[in-house]
Amino acid sequence: GAGVSQSPRYKVAKRGQDVALRCDPISGHVSLFWYQQALGQGPEFLTYFQNEAQLDKSGLPSDRFFAERPEGSVSTLKIQRTQQEDSAVYLCASSRRGGAYEQYFGPGTRLTVT
Amino acid sequence: AQKVTQAQTEISVVEKEDVTLDCVYETRDTTYYLFWYKQPPSGELVFLIRRNSFDEQNEISGRYSWNFQKSTSSFNFTITASQVVDSAVYFCALSEAHASKIIFGSGTRLSIRP
């Protein structure tokens, strides 16, 4: 596709459920990023992949959060035992190179934990 | 530590007015990159510009212009002859050369009234 796509666009989970959020980056983009955006705030970095290697996961808020990109393309962000504070928009971005290059964002997945 | 401050939470102007969005950043690195992104009501972040720390030349793109002042650690964004379609949340952001993640400010919500 032409841009970054994410699915689902909206997810409602009951507290304690596990969720999986998917990101399809722009074809050929080496780098993939996950960000969390709370209401009224700027995106906050969660984790970064270069190809299939997870090079930085310093932003993951707890060990309930896990991300993978096994074949260096599609990525999945998994949240286990969701809590209300996990409610946010989860944004995926891709970049054609590693390093501080422009990142192109997907539409996000809005997660609501009830 | 790196930080981006957007002191203006909300700005409202009448169409055709010029408007400047302020951005102040903090970093210990001598090599870094600055960005502006636009987030319209649809929610998808749109890349506007990327500048590196060695290039202080101002940039103009149509009605948009950016003023990078290293001496004051500022990277301000001006929209000339604003239009209703410019209404969005605008984020200033920073990335240090050794890291790929982007640190975002809290955003400025810009409303253009007809």
Side-chain angles (χ1 to χ4, degrees), chain A residues 5-14 17 19-22 34-41 65 77 79 82-92 106-114, chain B residues 39-45 89 91 109:
Chain A
S5 61
Q6 293 185 246
S7 61
R9 292 292 313 277
Y10 303 91
K11 177 70 178 178
V12 178
K14 290 187 177 176
Q17 283 185 335
V19 297
L21 313 180
R22 177 187 169 106
W34 284 98
Y35 292 84
Q36 180 190 60
Q37 187 174 21
L39 191 63
Q41 300 296 316
F65 287 70
L77 176 68
I79 309 173
T82 52
Q83 304 294 315
Q84 280 195 315
E85 60 263 29
D86 300 335
S87 296
V89 175
Y90 290 86
L91 296 166
C92 177
T109 295
R110 182 177 296 278
L111 173 65
T112 303
V113 181
T114 60
Chain B
Q39 190 171 43
S42 61
E44 195 158 332
L45 279 159
V89 180
F91 292 98
R109 181 176 298 277

Side-chain angles (χ1 to χ4, degrees), chain B residues 74-87:
Chain B
S74 65
F75 186 44
N76 296 339
F77 173 31
T78 297
I79 301 175
T80 303
S82 60
Q83 299 176 2
V84 172
V85 293
D86 295 327
S87 296

Side-chain angles (χ1 to χ4, degrees), chain B residues 45-64:
Chain B
L45 279 159
V46 176
F47 167 79
L48 296 178
I49 189 171
R50 167 182 174 266
R51 299 305 298 269
N52 74 57
S53 52
F54 297 109
D55 183 2
E56 285 194 71
Q57 205 167 18
N58 290 337
E59 177 138 351
I60 298 174
S61 176
R63 295 184 297 105
Y64 294 172

Side-chain angles (χ1 to χ4, degrees), chain A residues 19-21 34 46-47 49 54 57 60-70 75-80:
Chain A
V19 297
L21 313 180
W34 284 98
L46 294 176
T47 188
F49 291 86
Q54 189 174 21
K57 54 181 180 180
L60 296 176
S62 78
D63 58 8
R64 296 186 295 104
F65 287 70
F66 172 75
E68 60 183 5
R69 194 186 185 198
S75 177
T76 304
L77 176 68
K78 297 179 180 177
I79 309 173
Q80 298 176 325

